[in-house]
Amino acid sequence: MTQKKVANATMFDLKTGLSKEEKTKQRHLSDMTKMFYDVEALREKIDGGEDSLVYEYYELDLPKTEGDIQYGTSIVYPGTVNGEYYMTKGHFHNILETGEVYFCLSGEGYMLMENPEGEWEVEELIPGRAVQVPPRYAHRSINTGKEPLVTFFAFRADAGHDYGAIETKGYRKLVVEKDGKPEIIDNPKWQQ
């Protein structure tokens, strides 16, 4: 009798979050044109030849069925666009009642969360800290440090991702650098 392989396993570097076994999806400044508040400053960077890698993440070839778990790492690089820190696009889940867990491996930053009604919360990400994103909350990782922000994440495998709502509406709050420190401010473009 042959044993059937039923589990998946992936090696990740605990400092960089990268895997020699898998390939990342990458997001450069040019992929983030609807995400940063100051679109003009973003376009100037891109038109000036700066199309920096903002973040990368793993979308592993795992079963996307009910009862399974998707997991991977996300690496957000340091930088700003006119003071607004580099971040992930952020997303809701297609199955809105889905929570997600992020465990910070290295770096520092914030997890910005917001539900469809506009209620928001920010949690600090530092090495060793886990943040549970509640069901119904869009979420975005933001790097406020000088090193890459590396997190490990896990969520319901069939939940999917909805980036469109964030591209259209944005988040109620922005995390920007003021006097060398992160500050949470209202997003002037945000609409309920």
Side-chain angles (χ1 to χ4, degrees), residues 83-189:
E84 186 176 6
Y85 292 105
Y86 281 9
M87 61 197 155
T88 60
K89 281 188 167 187
H91 61 271
F92 285 99
H93 287 286
N94 291 333
I95 299 176
L96 196 57
E97 295 300 326
T98 298
E100 188 164 352
V101 172
Y102 286 80
F103 182 76
C104 184
L105 299 172
S106 62
E108 59 187 73
Y110 290 103
M111 178 64 65
L112 176 62
M113 299 170 276
E114 182 176 313
N115 68 15
E117 293 75 38
E119 297 169 328
W120 63 277
E121 188 172 335
V122 175
E123 287 290 338
E124 187 178 25
L125 291 168
I126 55 173
R129 188 155 198 245
V131 173
Q132 188 263 343
V133 177
R136 302 188 76 253
Y137 276 76
H139 42 286
R140 156 182 287 166
S141 301
I142 303 165
N143 185 340
T144 60
K146 304 293 183 212
E147 302 296 325
L149 171 64
V150 181
T151 56
F152 178 87
F153 59 83
F155 62 95
R156 176 181 170 168
D158 61 341
H161 295 90
D162 171 11
Y163 295 101
I166 302 306
E167 288 179 349
T168 303
K169 178 173 148 173
Y171 281 82
R172 177 181 281 245
K173 299 293 179 179
L174 304 174
V175 181
V176 298
E177 186 176 64
K178 292 269 177 116
D179 301 321
K181 295 180 183 172
E183 188 174 311
I184 300 161
I185 64 168
D186 289 334
N187 180 353
K189 292 182 176 178

Side-chain angles (χ1 to χ4, degrees), residues 6 8 60-70 156-158:
V6 294
N8 288 294
L60 301 175
D61 186 23
L62 299 170
K64 292 178 176 49
T65 53
E66 185 178 349
D68 280 313
I69 302 287
Q70 287 288 321
R156 176 181 170 168
D158 61 341

Side-chain angles (χ1 to χ4, degrees), residues 48 57 67 71-72 80 134 142 144 190:
Y57 64 98
Y71 66 84
T80 65
I142 303 165
T144 60
W190 187 85

Side-chain angles (χ1 to χ4, degrees), residues 13 27 35-36 43-44 46 53 69 93 109 150 164 170 179 185 192:
D13 182 288
R27 300 277 191 251
M35 299 297 130
F36 287 96
R43 290 210 187 280
E44 283 177 22
I46 295 167
L53 178 60
I69 302 287
H93 287 286
V150 181
D179 301 321
I185 64 168
Q192 176 93 14

